[in-house]
Amino acid sequence: MRLNEYRILWVLVFFDLPTETKKERSIASKFRKEILRDGFAMFQFSIYLRHCSSRENADVHINRVKRLLPEKGHIGIMTITDKQFGMMELFYGKNEKALPDTPQQLELF
């Protein structure tokens, strides 16, 4: 199946982890570093996103995040299509900002 804007997905991870103690800060930092290592990029302070070329690829990364979940905190995982992601409007103050580039997928015939 050829790639299209309805098959390509973005996985978003939202989290609010406790950081009151040194141990909690360490756990939160480890979670953040591990999702970065898995290819997620920071969108906002506690929102990370990753481009996935298919549902199967997205499921792999979602399962990796689930294995990293700490004992405490609130974590959400959301998947949206590339088409939905492309309809987002971003602003810094009143200035509109361009969306992040979609990684290019090499297709072999």
Side-chain angles (χ1 to χ4, degrees), residues 61-90:
H61 295 288
I62 290 168
N63 288 330
R64 285 183 187 162
V65 172
K66 287 179 180 179
R67 285 194 300 268
L68 297 170
L69 296 177
E71 288 291 318
K72 297 179 182 176
H74 298 245
I75 297 97
I77 302 171
M78 181 170 70
T79 306
I80 61 173
T81 66
D82 194 46
K83 177 74 171 175
Q84 292 168 318
F85 186 81
M87 292 187 295
M88 181 174 20
E89 295 181 76
L90 292 177

PDB file of all heavy atoms in Angstrom, residues 61-90:
ATOM      1  N   HIS A  61       5.990   1.773  18.653  1.00  0.00           N
ATOM      2  CA  HIS A  61       6.449   2.875  19.511  1.00  0.00           C
ATOM      3  C   HIS A  61       5.499   3.119  20.679  1.00  0.00           C
ATOM      4  O   HIS A  61       5.947   3.460  21.780  1.00  0.00           O
ATOM      5  CB  HIS A  61       6.673   4.126  18.666  1.00  0.00           C
ATOM      6  CG  HIS A  61       7.786   3.928  17.686  1.00  0.00           C
ATOM      7  ND1 HIS A  61       9.104   3.876  18.064  1.00  0.00           N
ATOM      8  CD2 HIS A  61       7.769   3.711  16.359  1.00  0.00           C
ATOM      9  CE1 HIS A  61       9.857   3.648  17.002  1.00  0.00           C
ATOM     10  NE2 HIS A  61       9.064   3.541  15.955  1.00  0.00           N
ATOM     11  N   ILE A  62       4.219   2.920  20.466  1.00  0.00           N
ATOM     12  CA  ILE A  62       3.260   3.049  21.568  1.00  0.00           C
ATOM     13  C   ILE A  62       3.557   1.996  22.629  1.00  0.00           C
ATOM     14  O   ILE A  62       3.572   2.296  23.826  1.00  0.00           O
ATOM     15  CB  ILE A  62       1.813   2.930  21.039  1.00  0.00           C
ATOM     16  CG1 ILE A  62       1.451   4.176  20.218  1.00  0.00           C
ATOM     17  CG2 ILE A  62       0.824   2.720  22.186  1.00  0.00           C
ATOM     18  CD1 ILE A  62       0.166   4.049  19.418  1.00  0.00           C
ATOM     19  N   ASN A  63       3.815   0.772  22.211  1.00  0.00           N
ATOM     20  CA  ASN A  63       4.135  -0.290  23.172  1.00  0.00           C
ATOM     21  C   ASN A  63       5.436  -0.011  23.917  1.00  0.00           C
ATOM     22  O   ASN A  63       5.555  -0.325  25.102  1.00  0.00           O
ATOM     23  CB  ASN A  63       4.192  -1.652  22.476  1.00  0.00           C
ATOM     24  CG  ASN A  63       2.818  -2.136  22.088  1.00  0.00           C
ATOM     25  OD1 ASN A  63       1.826  -1.821  22.752  1.00  0.00           O
ATOM     26  ND2 ASN A  63       2.732  -2.894  21.013  1.00  0.00           N
ATOM     27  N   ARG A  64       6.407   0.597  23.254  1.00  0.00           N
ATOM     28  CA  ARG A  64       7.658   0.965  23.940  1.00  0.00           C
ATOM     29  C   ARG A  64       7.385   1.998  25.023  1.00  0.00           C
ATOM     30  O   ARG A  64       7.928   1.913  26.129  1.00  0.00           O
ATOM     31  CB  ARG A  64       8.675   1.508  22.943  1.00  0.00           C
ATOM     32  CG  ARG A  64       9.307   0.442  22.106  1.00  0.00           C
ATOM     33  CD  ARG A  64      10.353   1.011  21.186  1.00  0.00           C
ATOM     34  NE  ARG A  64      10.827  -0.017  20.276  1.00  0.00           N
ATOM     35  CZ  ARG A  64      11.468   0.238  19.159  1.00  0.00           C
ATOM     36  NH1 ARG A  64      11.736   1.484  18.802  1.00  0.00           N
ATOM     37  NH2 ARG A  64      11.861  -0.750  18.380  1.00  0.00           N
ATOM     38  N   VAL A  65       6.550   2.996  24.712  1.00  0.00           N
ATOM     39  CA  VAL A  65       6.209   4.016  25.712  1.00  0.00           C
ATOM     40  C   VAL A  65       5.491   3.359  26.884  1.00  0.00           C
ATOM     41  O   VAL A  65       5.773   3.657  28.047  1.00  0.00           O
ATOM     42  CB  VAL A  65       5.350   5.141  25.096  1.00  0.00           C
ATOM     43  CG1 VAL A  65       4.833   6.082  26.172  1.00  0.00           C
ATOM     44  CG2 VAL A  65       6.152   5.915  24.058  1.00  0.00           C
ATOM     45  N   LYS A  66       4.573   2.443  26.605  1.00  0.00           N
ATOM     46  CA  LYS A  66       3.836   1.771  27.674  1.00  0.00           C
ATOM     47  C   LYS A  66       4.763   1.000  28.598  1.00  0.00           C
ATOM     48  O   LYS A  66       4.528   0.932  29.812  1.00  0.00           O
ATOM     49  CB  LYS A  66       2.784   0.833  27.085  1.00  0.00           C
ATOM     50  CG  LYS A  66       1.602   1.568  26.488  1.00  0.00           C
ATOM     51  CD  LYS A  66       0.604   0.584  25.897  1.00  0.00           C
ATOM     52  CE  LYS A  66      -0.586   1.293  25.301  1.00  0.00           C
ATOM     53  NZ  LYS A  66      -1.540   0.316  24.703  1.00  0.00           N
ATOM     54  N   ARG A  67       5.832   0.425  28.057  1.00  0.00           N
ATOM     55  CA  ARG A  67       6.797  -0.300  28.894  1.00  0.00           C
ATOM     56  C   ARG A  67       7.600   0.654  29.784  1.00  0.00           C
ATOM     57  O   ARG A  67       8.162   0.228  30.796  1.00  0.00           O
ATOM     58  CB  ARG A  67       7.736  -1.132  28.039  1.00  0.00           C
ATOM     59  CG  ARG A  67       7.083  -2.390  27.487  1.00  0.00           C
ATOM     60  CD  ARG A  67       8.100  -3.370  26.936  1.00  0.00           C
ATOM     61  NE  ARG A  67       8.895  -2.828  25.838  1.00  0.00           N
ATOM     62  CZ  ARG A  67       8.595  -2.940  24.552  1.00  0.00           C
ATOM     63  NH1 ARG A  67       7.501  -3.583  24.178  1.00  0.00           N
ATOM     64  NH2 ARG A  67       9.374  -2.422  23.629  1.00  0.00           N
ATOM     65  N   LEU A  68       7.676   1.924  29.408  1.00  0.00           N
ATOM     66  CA  LEU A  68       8.448   2.910  30.165  1.00  0.00           C
ATOM     67  C   LEU A  68       7.629   3.640  31.232  1.00  0.00           C
ATOM     68  O   LEU A  68       8.184   4.421  31.999  1.00  0.00           O
ATOM     69  CB  LEU A  68       9.019   3.968  29.202  1.00  0.00           C
ATOM     70  CG  LEU A  68      10.007   3.494  28.158  1.00  0.00           C
ATOM     71  CD1 LEU A  68      10.267   4.602  27.151  1.00  0.00           C
ATOM     72  CD2 LEU A  68      11.302   3.050  28.814  1.00  0.00           C
ATOM     73  N   LEU A  69       6.313   3.409  31.283  1.00  0.00           N
ATOM     74  CA  LEU A  69       5.450   4.183  32.174  1.00  0.00           C
ATOM     75  C   LEU A  69       5.901   4.094  33.623  1.00  0.00           C
ATOM     76  O   LEU A  69       6.093   2.996  34.151  1.00  0.00           O
ATOM     77  CB  LEU A  69       4.000   3.703  32.059  1.00  0.00           C
ATOM     78  CG  LEU A  69       3.330   3.904  30.712  1.00  0.00           C
ATOM     79  CD1 LEU A  69       1.928   3.303  30.731  1.00  0.00           C
ATOM     80  CD2 LEU A  69       3.283   5.371  30.331  1.00  0.00           C
ATOM     81  N   PRO A  70       6.078   5.244  34.274  1.00  0.00           N
ATOM     82  CA  PRO A  70       6.437   5.235  35.691  1.00  0.00           C
ATOM     83  C   PRO A  70       5.218   4.907  36.564  1.00  0.00           C
ATOM     84  O   PRO A  70       4.080   4.923  36.098  1.00  0.00           O
ATOM     85  CB  PRO A  70       6.936   6.665  35.937  1.00  0.00           C
ATOM     86  CG  PRO A  70       6.328   7.480  34.863  1.00  0.00           C
ATOM     87  CD  PRO A  70       6.071   6.580  33.702  1.00  0.00           C
ATOM     88  N   GLU A  71       5.477   4.607  37.840  1.00  0.00           N
ATOM     89  CA  GLU A  71       4.414   4.251  38.782  1.00  0.00           C
ATOM     90  C   GLU A  71       3.419   5.393  38.995  1.00  0.00           C
ATOM     91  O   GLU A  71       2.231   5.154  39.150  1.00  0.00           O
ATOM     92  CB  GLU A  71       5.021   3.864  40.140  1.00  0.00           C
ATOM     93  CG  GLU A  71       5.733   2.532  40.132  1.00  0.00           C
ATOM     94  CD  GLU A  71       4.767   1.370  39.972  1.00  0.00           C
ATOM     95  OE1 GLU A  71       3.695   1.385  40.598  1.00  0.00           O
ATOM     96  OE2 GLU A  71       5.095   0.452  39.205  1.00  0.00           O
ATOM     97  N   LYS A  72       3.918   6.614  39.052  1.00  0.00           N
ATOM     98  CA  LYS A  72       3.063   7.765  39.343  1.00  0.00           C
ATOM     99  C   LYS A  72       3.047   8.720  38.154  1.00  0.00           C
ATOM    100  O   LYS A  72       3.960   8.722  37.339  1.00  0.00           O
ATOM    101  CB  LYS A  72       3.573   8.509  40.576  1.00  0.00           C
ATOM    102  CG  LYS A  72       3.534   7.692  41.836  1.00  0.00           C
ATOM    103  CD  LYS A  72       4.075   8.493  42.987  1.00  0.00           C
ATOM    104  CE  LYS A  72       4.095   7.677  44.266  1.00  0.00           C
ATOM    105  NZ  LYS A  72       4.702   8.421  45.367  1.00  0.00           N
ATOM    106  N   GLY A  73       2.021   9.546  38.111  1.00  0.00           N
ATOM    107  CA  GLY A  73       1.932  10.553  37.061  1.00  0.00           C
ATOM    108  C   GLY A  73       0.795  10.270  36.105  1.00  0.00           C
ATOM    109  O   GLY A  73       0.139   9.229  36.173  1.00  0.00           O
ATOM    110  N   HIS A  74       0.564  11.218  35.233  1.00  0.00           N
ATOM    111  CA  HIS A  74      -0.489  11.123  34.228  1.00  0.00           C
ATOM    112  C   HIS A  74       0.176  11.115  32.857  1.00  0.00           C
ATOM    113  O   HIS A  74       0.904  12.050  32.524  1.00  0.00           O
ATOM    114  CB  HIS A  74      -1.441  12.317  34.330  1.00  0.00           C
ATOM    115  CG  HIS A  74      -2.144  12.390  35.642  1.00  0.00           C
ATOM    116  ND1 HIS A  74      -3.492  12.246  35.755  1.00  0.00           N
ATOM    117  CD2 HIS A  74      -1.688  12.580  36.892  1.00  0.00           C
ATOM    118  CE1 HIS A  74      -3.839  12.348  37.016  1.00  0.00           C
ATOM    119  NE2 HIS A  74      -2.748  12.558  37.727  1.00  0.00           N
ATOM    120  N   ILE A  75      -0.102  10.085  32.086  1.00  0.00           N
ATOM    121  CA  ILE A  75       0.483   9.960  30.748  1.00  0.00           C
ATOM    122  C   ILE A  75      -0.639   9.660  29.769  1.00  0.00           C
ATOM    123  O   ILE A  75      -1.488   8.810  30.035  1.00  0.00           O
ATOM    124  CB  ILE A  75       1.543   8.836  30.680  1.00  0.00           C
ATOM    125  CG1 ILE A  75       2.728   9.127  31.605  1.00  0.00           C
ATOM    126  CG2 ILE A  75       2.065   8.680  29.256  1.00  0.00           C
ATOM    127  CD1 ILE A  75       2.658   8.465  32.919  1.00  0.00           C
ATOM    128  N   GLY A  76      -0.660  10.379  28.658  1.00  0.00           N
ATOM    129  CA  GLY A  76      -1.622  10.123  27.600  1.00  0.00           C
ATOM    130  C   GLY A  76      -0.885   9.853  26.297  1.00  0.00           C
ATOM    131  O   GLY A  76       0.168  10.439  26.042  1.00  0.00           O
ATOM    132  N   ILE A  77      -1.436   8.946  25.509  1.00  0.00           N
ATOM    133  CA  ILE A  77      -0.866   8.632  24.198  1.00  0.00           C
ATOM    134  C   ILE A  77      -1.984   8.813  23.179  1.00  0.00           C
ATOM    135  O   ILE A  77      -3.057   8.242  23.338  1.00  0.00           O
ATOM    136  CB  ILE A  77      -0.323   7.194  24.137  1.00  0.00           C
ATOM    137  CG1 ILE A  77       0.736   6.969  25.220  1.00  0.00           C
ATOM    138  CG2 ILE A  77       0.250   6.891  22.751  1.00  0.00           C
ATOM    139  CD1 ILE A  77       1.166   5.519  25.376  1.00  0.00           C
ATOM    140  N   MET A  78      -1.724   9.613  22.158  1.00  0.00           N
ATOM    141  CA  MET A  78      -2.736   9.864  21.138  1.00  0.00           C
ATOM    142  C   MET A  78      -2.103   9.677  19.761  1.00  0.00           C
ATOM    143  O   MET A  78      -0.960  10.056  19.536  1.00  0.00           O
ATOM    144  CB  MET A  78      -3.275  11.290  21.254  1.00  0.00           C
ATOM    145  CG  MET A  78      -4.344  11.611  20.237  1.00  0.00           C
ATOM    146  SD  MET A  78      -5.179  13.183  20.546  1.00  0.00           S
ATOM    147  CE  MET A  78      -3.893  14.347  20.177  1.00  0.00           C
ATOM    148  N   THR A  79      -2.858   9.105  18.853  1.00  0.00           N
ATOM    149  CA  THR A  79      -2.406   8.905  17.483  1.00  0.00           C
ATOM    150  C   THR A  79      -3.320   9.692  16.557  1.00  0.00           C
ATOM    151  O   THR A  79      -4.540   9.607  16.670  1.00  0.00           O
ATOM    152  CB  THR A  79      -2.464   7.407  17.109  1.00  0.00           C
ATOM    153  OG1 THR A  79      -1.729   6.673  18.079  1.00  0.00           O
ATOM    154  CG2 THR A  79      -1.858   7.162  15.751  1.00  0.00           C
ATOM    155  N   ILE A  80      -2.719  10.471  15.668  1.00  0.00           N
ATOM    156  CA  ILE A  80      -3.493  11.213  14.676  1.00  0.00           C
ATOM    157  C   ILE A  80      -2.880  10.989  13.298  1.00  0.00           C
ATOM    158  O   ILE A  80      -1.705  10.661  13.182  1.00  0.00           O
ATOM    159  CB  ILE A  80      -3.568  12.731  14.992  1.00  0.00           C
ATOM    160  CG1 ILE A  80      -2.176  13.361  15.012  1.00  0.00           C
ATOM    161  CG2 ILE A  80      -4.293  12.972  16.306  1.00  0.00           C
ATOM    162  CD1 ILE A  80      -2.186  14.875  15.152  1.00  0.00           C
ATOM    163  N   THR A  81      -3.690  11.179  12.269  1.00  0.00           N
ATOM    164  CA  THR A  81      -3.173  11.004  10.907  1.00  0.00           C
ATOM    165  C   THR A  81      -2.339  12.214  10.508  1.00  0.00           C
ATOM    166  O   THR A  81      -2.439  13.291  11.105  1.00  0.00           O
ATOM    167  CB  THR A  81      -4.320  10.837   9.902  1.00  0.00           C
ATOM    168  OG1 THR A  81      -5.060  12.053   9.837  1.00  0.00           O
ATOM    169  CG2 THR A  81      -5.221   9.659  10.256  1.00  0.00           C
ATOM    170  N   ASP A  82      -1.536  12.023   9.475  1.00  0.00           N
ATOM    171  CA  ASP A  82      -0.744  13.124   8.938  1.00  0.00           C
ATOM    172  C   ASP A  82      -1.657  14.238   8.428  1.00  0.00           C
ATOM    173  O   ASP A  82      -1.338  15.415   8.550  1.00  0.00           O
ATOM    174  CB  ASP A  82       0.164  12.610   7.829  1.00  0.00           C
ATOM    175  CG  ASP A  82       1.245  13.601   7.452  1.00  0.00           C
ATOM    176  OD1 ASP A  82       1.890  14.159   8.369  1.00  0.00           O
ATOM    177  OD2 ASP A  82       1.448  13.825   6.244  1.00  0.00           O
ATOM    178  N   LYS A  83      -2.808  13.874   7.890  1.00  0.00           N
ATOM    179  CA  LYS A  83      -3.784  14.858   7.406  1.00  0.00           C
ATOM    180  C   LYS A  83      -4.271  15.722   8.567  1.00  0.00           C
ATOM    181  O   LYS A  83      -4.318  16.946   8.468  1.00  0.00           O
ATOM    182  CB  LYS A  83      -4.958  14.135   6.738  1.00  0.00           C
ATOM    183  CG  LYS A  83      -6.064  15.033   6.256  1.00  0.00           C
ATOM    184  CD  LYS A  83      -5.667  15.771   5.026  1.00  0.00           C
ATOM    185  CE  LYS A  83      -6.865  16.490   4.424  1.00  0.00           C
ATOM    186  NZ  LYS A  83      -6.495  17.311   3.292  1.00  0.00           N
ATOM    187  N   GLN A  84      -4.615  15.097   9.705  1.00  0.00           N
ATOM    188  CA  GLN A  84      -5.058  15.842  10.881  1.00  0.00           C
ATOM    189  C   GLN A  84      -3.934  16.728  11.416  1.00  0.00           C
ATOM    190  O   GLN A  84      -4.162  17.880  11.774  1.00  0.00           O
ATOM    191  CB  GLN A  84      -5.529  14.875  11.972  1.00  0.00           C
ATOM    192  CG  GLN A  84      -6.791  14.146  11.621  1.00  0.00           C
ATOM    193  CD  GLN A  84      -7.072  13.000  12.570  1.00  0.00           C
ATOM    194  OE1 GLN A  84      -6.161  12.257  12.954  1.00  0.00           O
ATOM    195  NE2 GLN A  84      -8.329  12.836  12.937  1.00  0.00           N
ATOM    196  N   PHE A  85      -2.724  16.186  11.464  1.00  0.00           N
ATOM    197  CA  PHE A  85      -1.582  16.954  11.953  1.00  0.00           C
ATOM    198  C   PHE A  85      -1.347  18.182  11.076  1.00  0.00           C
ATOM    199  O   PHE A  85      -1.044  19.267  11.563  1.00  0.00           O
ATOM    200  CB  PHE A  85      -0.332  16.063  11.974  1.00  0.00           C
ATOM    201  CG  PHE A  85       0.859  16.712  12.602  1.00  0.00           C
ATOM    202  CD1 PHE A  85       0.997  16.741  13.978  1.00  0.00           C
ATOM    203  CD2 PHE A  85       1.855  17.280  11.823  1.00  0.00           C
ATOM    204  CE1 PHE A  85       2.104  17.337  14.568  1.00  0.00           C
ATOM    205  CE2 PHE A  85       2.971  17.872  12.406  1.00  0.00           C
ATOM    206  CZ  PHE A  85       3.086  17.900  13.779  1.00  0.00           C
ATOM    207  N   GLY A  86      -1.522  18.006   9.766  1.00  0.00           N
ATOM    208  CA  GLY A  86      -1.321  19.106   8.829  1.00  0.00           C
ATOM    209  C   GLY A  86      -2.338  20.221   8.957  1.00  0.00           C
ATOM    210  O   GLY A  86      -2.106  21.337   8.490  1.00  0.00           O
ATOM    211  N   MET A  87      -3.477  19.950   9.585  1.00  0.00           N
ATOM    212  CA  MET A  87      -4.504  20.979   9.774  1.00  0.00           C
ATOM    213  C   MET A  87      -4.278  21.803  11.038  1.00  0.00           C
ATOM    214  O   MET A  87      -4.984  22.768  11.287  1.00  0.00           O
ATOM    215  CB  MET A  87      -5.893  20.336   9.817  1.00  0.00           C
ATOM    216  CG  MET A  87      -6.306  19.746   8.479  1.00  0.00           C
ATOM    217  SD  MET A  87      -8.013  19.165   8.433  1.00  0.00           S
ATOM    218  CE  MET A  87      -7.975  17.825   9.600  1.00  0.00           C
ATOM    219  N   MET A  88      -3.265  21.445  11.828  1.00  0.00           N
ATOM    220  CA  MET A  88      -2.978  22.179  13.051  1.00  0.00           C
ATOM    221  C   MET A  88      -2.401  23.558  12.727  1.00  0.00           C
ATOM    222  O   MET A  88      -1.659  23.722  11.761  1.00  0.00           O
ATOM    223  CB  MET A  88      -1.965  21.382  13.890  1.00  0.00           C
ATOM    224  CG  MET A  88      -1.624  22.040  15.184  1.00  0.00           C
ATOM    225  SD  MET A  88      -0.566  21.093  16.306  1.00  0.00           S
ATOM    226  CE  MET A  88       0.223  19.893  15.306  1.00  0.00           C
ATOM    227  N   GLU A  89      -2.770  24.526  13.528  1.00  0.00           N
ATOM    228  CA  GLU A  89      -2.201  25.869  13.409  1.00  0.00           C
ATOM    229  C   GLU A  89      -1.346  26.115  14.647  1.00  0.00           C
ATOM    230  O   GLU A  89      -1.789  25.893  15.766  1.00  0.00           O
ATOM    231  CB  GLU A  89      -3.303  26.913  13.326  1.00  0.00           C
ATOM    232  CG  GLU A  89      -4.153  26.804  12.085  1.00  0.00           C
ATOM    233  CD  GLU A  89      -5.215  27.877  12.049  1.00  0.00           C
ATOM    234  OE1 GLU A  89      -4.861  29.036  11.756  1.00  0.00           O
ATOM    235  OE2 GLU A  89      -6.368  27.546  12.337  1.00  0.00           O
ATOM    236  N   LEU A  90      -0.118  26.568  14.448  1.00  0.00           N
ATOM    237  CA  LEU A  90       0.796  26.836  15.551  1.00  0.00           C
ATOM    238  C   LEU A  90       1.095  28.323  15.628  1.00  0.00           C
ATOM    239  O   LEU A  90       1.281  28.982  14.602  1.00  0.00           O
ATOM    240  CB  LEU A  90       2.115  26.091  15.342  1.00  0.00           C
ATOM    241  CG  LEU A  90       2.057  24.574  15.429  1.00  0.00           C
ATOM    242  CD1 LEU A  90       3.431  24.000  15.138  1.00  0.00           C
ATOM    243  CD2 LEU A  90       1.580  24.143  16.789  1.00  0.00           C
TER     244      LEU A  90
END
